[in-house]
PDB file of all heavy atoms in Angstrom:
ATOM      1  N   CYS A 203     107.051  62.496  87.188  1.00 45.00           N
ATOM      2  CA  CYS A 203     107.221  62.984  88.550  1.00 45.00           C
ATOM      3  C   CYS A 203     106.267  62.305  89.518  1.00 45.00           C
ATOM      4  O   CYS A 203     106.383  62.455  90.730  1.00 45.00           O
ATOM      5  CB  CYS A 203     106.984  64.499  88.611  1.00 45.00           C
ATOM      6  SG  CYS A 203     108.189  65.435  87.657  1.00 45.00           S
ATOM      7  N   GLY A 204     105.262  61.586  88.984  1.00 43.00           N
ATOM      8  CA  GLY A 204     104.314  60.910  89.866  1.00 43.00           C
ATOM      9  C   GLY A 204     102.996  61.633  89.895  1.00 43.00           C
ATOM     10  O   GLY A 204     102.795  62.662  89.283  1.00 43.00           O
ATOM     11  N   ASN A 205     102.030  61.079  90.634  1.00 45.00           N
ATOM     12  CA  ASN A 205     100.694  61.654  90.748  1.00 45.00           C
ATOM     13  C   ASN A 205     100.753  63.015  91.403  1.00 45.00           C
ATOM     14  O   ASN A 205     101.465  63.218  92.366  1.00 45.00           O
ATOM     15  CB  ASN A 205      99.811  60.708  91.570  1.00 45.00           C
ATOM     16  CG  ASN A 205      98.356  61.128  91.530  1.00 45.00           C
ATOM     17  OD1 ASN A 205      98.005  62.172  92.043  1.00 45.00           O
ATOM     18  ND2 ASN A 205      97.532  60.292  90.909  1.00 45.00           N
ATOM     19  N   GLY A 206      99.981  63.959  90.898  1.00 45.00           N
ATOM     20  CA  GLY A 206     100.030  65.333  91.382  1.00 45.00           C
ATOM     21  C   GLY A 206      99.201  65.608  92.591  1.00 45.00           C
ATOM     22  O   GLY A 206      98.869  66.753  92.865  1.00 45.00           O
ATOM     23  N   GLY A 207      98.793  64.593  93.339  1.00 43.00           N
ATOM     24  CA  GLY A 207      98.075  64.862  94.570  1.00 43.00           C
ATOM     25  C   GLY A 207      96.586  64.721  94.429  1.00 43.00           C
ATOM     26  O   GLY A 207      95.821  65.271  95.220  1.00 43.00           O
ATOM     27  N   THR A 208      96.098  63.957  93.435  1.00 42.00           N
ATOM     28  CA  THR A 208      94.668  63.814  93.242  1.00 42.00           C
ATOM     29  C   THR A 208      94.101  62.618  93.981  1.00 42.00           C
ATOM     30  O   THR A 208      92.901  62.431  94.014  1.00 42.00           O
ATOM     31  CB  THR A 208      94.360  63.673  91.742  1.00 42.00           C
ATOM     32  OG1 THR A 208      95.065  62.533  91.226  1.00 42.00           O
ATOM     33  CG2 THR A 208      94.795  64.919  90.982  1.00 42.00           C
ATOM     34  N   THR A 209      94.930  61.784  94.592  1.00 39.00           N
ATOM     35  CA  THR A 209      94.463  60.620  95.322  1.00 39.00           C
ATOM     36  C   THR A 209      94.377  60.943  96.798  1.00 39.00           C
ATOM     37  O   THR A 209      95.380  61.076  97.481  1.00 39.00           O
ATOM     38  CB  THR A 209      95.422  59.418  95.101  1.00 39.00           C
ATOM     39  OG1 THR A 209      95.550  59.194  93.707  1.00 39.00           O
ATOM     40  CG2 THR A 209      94.880  58.184  95.778  1.00 39.00           C
ATOM     41  N   ALA A 210      93.136  61.042  97.293  1.00 40.00           N
ATOM     42  CA  ALA A 210      92.942  61.539  98.650  1.00 40.00           C
ATOM     43  C   ALA A 210      93.434  60.570  99.706  1.00 40.00           C
ATOM     44  O   ALA A 210      93.852  60.982 100.786  1.00 40.00           O
ATOM     45  CB  ALA A 210      91.460  61.849  98.874  1.00 40.00           C
ATOM     46  N   ASP A 211      93.377  59.252  99.403  1.00 46.00           N
ATOM     47  CA  ASP A 211      93.761  58.304 100.442  1.00 46.00           C
ATOM     48  C   ASP A 211      95.261  58.062 100.493  1.00 46.00           C
ATOM     49  O   ASP A 211      95.753  57.266 101.275  1.00 46.00           O
ATOM     50  CB  ASP A 211      93.026  56.971 100.256  1.00 46.00           C
ATOM     51  CG  ASP A 211      93.311  56.347  98.897  1.00 46.00           C
ATOM     52  OD1 ASP A 211      94.063  56.962  98.110  1.00 46.00           O
ATOM     53  OD2 ASP A 211      92.772  55.256  98.627  1.00 46.00           O
ATOM     54  N   ASN A 212      96.031  58.752  99.665  1.00 44.00           N
ATOM     55  CA  ASN A 212      97.485  58.637  99.693  1.00 44.00           C
ATOM     56  C   ASN A 212      98.026  59.896 100.344  1.00 44.00           C
ATOM     57  O   ASN A 212      98.073  60.958  99.735  1.00 44.00           O
ATOM     58  CB  ASN A 212      98.021  58.508  98.263  1.00 44.00           C
ATOM     59  CG  ASN A 212      99.521  58.282  98.231  1.00 44.00           C
ATOM     60  OD1 ASN A 212     100.251  58.783  99.080  1.00 44.00           O
ATOM     61  ND2 ASN A 212      99.971  57.547  97.226  1.00 44.00           N
ATOM     62  N   GLU A 213      98.429  59.820 101.607  1.00 46.00           N
ATOM     63  CA  GLU A 213      98.827  61.005 102.371  1.00 46.00           C
ATOM     64  C   GLU A 213     100.003  61.715 101.734  1.00 46.00           C
ATOM     65  O   GLU A 213     100.039  62.932 101.657  1.00 46.00           O
ATOM     66  CB  GLU A 213      99.176  60.605 103.803  1.00 46.00           C
ATOM     67  CG  GLU A 213      99.552  61.768 104.710  1.00 46.00           C
ATOM     68  CD  GLU A 213      98.407  62.741 104.915  1.00 46.00           C
ATOM     69  OE1 GLU A 213      97.247  62.335 104.755  1.00 46.00           O
ATOM     70  OE2 GLU A 213      98.689  63.909 105.214  1.00 46.00           O
ATOM     71  N   GLU A 214     100.967  60.937 101.218  1.00 48.00           N
ATOM     72  CA  GLU A 214     102.146  61.569 100.611  1.00 48.00           C
ATOM     73  C   GLU A 214     101.746  62.325  99.353  1.00 48.00           C
ATOM     74  O   GLU A 214     102.150  63.453  99.143  1.00 48.00           O
ATOM     75  CB  GLU A 214     103.190  60.508 100.289  1.00 48.00           C
ATOM     76  CG  GLU A 214     104.462  61.104  99.707  1.00 48.00           C
ATOM     77  CD  GLU A 214     105.540  60.059  99.464  1.00 48.00           C
ATOM     78  OE1 GLU A 214     105.340  58.893  99.854  1.00 48.00           O
ATOM     79  OE2 GLU A 214     106.579  60.427  98.885  1.00 48.00           O
ATOM     80  N   ALA A 215     100.899  61.710  98.500  1.00 51.00           N
ATOM     81  CA  ALA A 215     100.484  62.369  97.273  1.00 51.00           C
ATOM     82  C   ALA A 215      99.660  63.607  97.565  1.00 51.00           C
ATOM     83  O   ALA A 215      99.722  64.590  96.843  1.00 51.00           O
ATOM     84  CB  ALA A 215      99.694  61.397  96.402  1.00 51.00           C
ATOM     85  N   ALA A 216      98.883  63.557  98.648  1.00 54.00           N
ATOM     86  CA  ALA A 216      98.012  64.681  98.973  1.00 54.00           C
ATOM     87  C   ALA A 216      98.803  65.926  99.320  1.00 54.00           C
ATOM     88  O   ALA A 216      98.265  67.029  99.319  1.00 54.00           O
ATOM     89  CB  ALA A 216      97.089  64.312 100.127  1.00 54.00           C
ATOM     90  N   LYS A 217     100.072  65.754  99.641  1.00 91.00           N
ATOM     91  CA  LYS A 217     100.907  66.902  99.978  1.00 91.00           C
ATOM     92  C   LYS A 217     101.950  67.187  98.898  1.00 91.00           C
ATOM     93  O   LYS A 217     102.923  67.872  99.140  1.00 91.00           O
ATOM     94  CB  LYS A 217     101.594  66.662 101.323  1.00 91.00           C
ATOM     95  CG  LYS A 217     100.626  66.435 102.488  1.00 91.00           C
ATOM     96  CD  LYS A 217      99.679  67.621 102.677  1.00 91.00           C
ATOM     97  CE  LYS A 217      98.744  67.382 103.840  1.00 91.00           C
ATOM     98  NZ  LYS A 217      97.767  68.471 104.016  1.00 91.00           N
ATOM     99  N   SER A 218     101.712  66.647  97.699  1.00 95.00           N
ATOM    100  CA  SER A 218     102.636  66.855  96.589  1.00 95.00           C
ATOM    101  C   SER A 218     101.911  67.599  95.477  1.00 95.00           C
ATOM    102  O   SER A 218     100.800  67.238  95.100  1.00 95.00           O
ATOM    103  CB  SER A 218     103.146  65.507  96.066  1.00 95.00           C
ATOM    104  OG  SER A 218     103.939  65.675  94.909  1.00 95.00           O
ATOM    105  N   ILE A 219     102.528  68.665  94.981  1.00 97.00           N
ATOM    106  CA  ILE A 219     101.910  69.449  93.913  1.00 97.00           C
ATOM    107  C   ILE A 219     102.883  69.623  92.756  1.00 97.00           C
ATOM    108  O   ILE A 219     104.085  69.417  92.907  1.00 97.00           O
ATOM    109  CB  ILE A 219     101.466  70.838  94.424  1.00 97.00           C
ATOM    110  CG1 ILE A 219     102.681  71.668  94.882  1.00 97.00           C
ATOM    111  CG2 ILE A 219     100.432  70.706  95.533  1.00 97.00           C
ATOM    112  CD1 ILE A 219     102.358  73.116  95.191  1.00 97.00           C
ATOM    113  N   LYS A 220     102.320  69.997  91.606  1.00 97.00           N
ATOM    114  CA  LYS A 220     103.120  70.295  90.418  1.00 97.00           C
ATOM    115  C   LYS A 220     102.765  71.688  89.944  1.00 97.00           C
ATOM    116  O   LYS A 220     101.592  72.060  89.871  1.00 97.00           O
ATOM    117  CB  LYS A 220     102.862  69.276  89.310  1.00 97.00           C
ATOM    118  CG  LYS A 220     103.269  67.862  89.676  1.00 97.00           C
ATOM    119  CD  LYS A 220     103.051  66.921  88.503  1.00 97.00           C
ATOM    120  CE  LYS A 220     103.433  65.502  88.884  1.00 97.00           C
ATOM    121  NZ  LYS A 220     102.451  64.921  89.829  1.00 97.00           N
ATOM    122  N   VAL A 221     103.790  72.466  89.604  1.00 97.00           N
ATOM    123  CA  VAL A 221     103.596  73.854  89.201  1.00 97.00           C
ATOM    124  C   VAL A 221     104.480  74.145  87.994  1.00 97.00           C
ATOM    125  O   VAL A 221     105.442  73.419  87.735  1.00 97.00           O
ATOM    126  CB  VAL A 221     103.943  74.817  90.359  1.00 97.00           C
ATOM    127  CG1 VAL A 221     103.156  74.464  91.613  1.00 97.00           C
ATOM    128  CG2 VAL A 221     105.439  74.814  90.661  1.00 97.00           C
ATOM    129  N   THR A 222     104.152  75.211  87.270  1.00 95.00           N
ATOM    130  CA  THR A 222     104.964  75.577  86.113  1.00 95.00           C
ATOM    131  C   THR A 222     105.610  76.943  86.321  1.00 95.00           C
ATOM    132  O   THR A 222     105.119  77.790  87.064  1.00 95.00           O
ATOM    133  CB  THR A 222     104.133  75.639  84.818  1.00 95.00           C
ATOM    134  OG1 THR A 222     103.131  76.651  84.933  1.00 95.00           O
ATOM    135  CG2 THR A 222     103.495  74.299  84.513  1.00 95.00           C
ATOM    136  N   VAL A 223     106.722  77.141  85.638  1.00 90.00           N
ATOM    137  CA  VAL A 223     107.363  78.443  85.500  1.00 90.00           C
ATOM    138  C   VAL A 223     107.715  78.597  84.027  1.00 90.00           C
ATOM    139  O   VAL A 223     107.792  77.621  83.287  1.00 90.00           O
ATOM    140  CB  VAL A 223     108.634  78.564  86.365  1.00 90.00           C
ATOM    141  CG1 VAL A 223     108.284  78.659  87.835  1.00 90.00           C
ATOM    142  CG2 VAL A 223     109.574  77.388  86.120  1.00 90.00           C
ATOM    143  N   ASN A 224     107.922  79.847  83.577  1.00 82.00           N
ATOM    144  CA  ASN A 224     108.135  80.056  82.143  1.00 82.00           C
ATOM    145  C   ASN A 224     109.596  80.260  81.762  1.00 82.00           C
ATOM    146  O   ASN A 224     109.890  80.749  80.677  1.00 82.00           O
ATOM    147  CB  ASN A 224     107.292  81.232  81.641  1.00 82.00           C
ATOM    148  CG  ASN A 224     107.642  82.533  82.327  1.00 82.00           C
ATOM    149  OD1 ASN A 224     108.662  82.635  83.009  1.00 82.00           O
ATOM    150  ND2 ASN A 224     106.800  83.543  82.157  1.00 82.00           N
ATOM    151  N   GLY A 225     110.501  79.867  82.654  1.00 84.00           N
ATOM    152  CA  GLY A 225     111.920  79.969  82.337  1.00 84.00           C
ATOM    153  C   GLY A 225     112.714  78.920  83.081  1.00 84.00           C
ATOM    154  O   GLY A 225     112.237  78.317  84.055  1.00 84.00           O
ATOM    155  N   GLU A 226     113.943  78.707  82.638  1.00 87.00           N
ATOM    156  CA  GLU A 226     114.798  77.710  83.258  1.00 87.00           C
ATOM    157  C   GLU A 226     115.281  78.155  84.636  1.00 87.00           C
ATOM    158  O   GLU A 226     115.368  79.340  84.926  1.00 87.00           O
ATOM    159  CB  GLU A 226     116.028  77.439  82.382  1.00 87.00           C
ATOM    160  CG  GLU A 226     115.708  76.994  80.974  1.00 87.00           C
ATOM    161  CD  GLU A 226     115.691  78.131  79.973  1.00 87.00           C
ATOM    162  OE1 GLU A 226     115.299  79.261  80.356  1.00 87.00           O
ATOM    163  OE2 GLU A 226     116.047  77.901  78.808  1.00 87.00           O
ATOM    164  N   LEU A 227     115.598  77.186  85.468  1.00 89.00           N
ATOM    165  CA  LEU A 227     116.348  77.435  86.697  1.00 89.00           C
ATOM    166  C   LEU A 227     117.814  77.506  86.290  1.00 89.00           C
ATOM    167  O   LEU A 227     118.402  76.522  85.859  1.00 89.00           O
ATOM    168  CB  LEU A 227     116.110  76.306  87.708  1.00 89.00           C
ATOM    169  CG  LEU A 227     116.987  76.293  88.963  1.00 89.00           C
ATOM    170  CD1 LEU A 227     116.854  77.593  89.743  1.00 89.00           C
ATOM    171  CD2 LEU A 227     116.623  75.103  89.848  1.00 89.00           C
ATOM    172  N   ALA A 228     118.394  78.692  86.418  1.00 88.00           N
ATOM    173  CA  ALA A 228     119.757  78.898  85.924  1.00 88.00           C
ATOM    174  C   ALA A 228     120.804  78.531  86.962  1.00 88.00           C
ATOM    175  O   ALA A 228     121.876  78.028  86.623  1.00 88.00           O
ATOM    176  CB  ALA A 228     119.947  80.349  85.489  1.00 88.00           C
ATOM    177  N   SER A 229     120.522  78.784  88.236  1.00 90.00           N
ATOM    178  CA  SER A 229     121.513  78.547  89.281  1.00 90.00           C
ATOM    179  C   SER A 229     120.828  78.552  90.635  1.00 90.00           C
ATOM    180  O   SER A 229     119.790  79.190  90.829  1.00 90.00           O
ATOM    181  CB  SER A 229     122.595  79.635  89.247  1.00 90.00           C
ATOM    182  OG  SER A 229     123.477  79.513  90.351  1.00 90.00           O
TER     183      SER A 229
END
């Protein structure tokens, strides 16, 4: 999915996060 936003000088990455859920997206 790409860098999780740890590079401060990359404006796009700085606004991108990764999160988890414990079940599938069904619909």
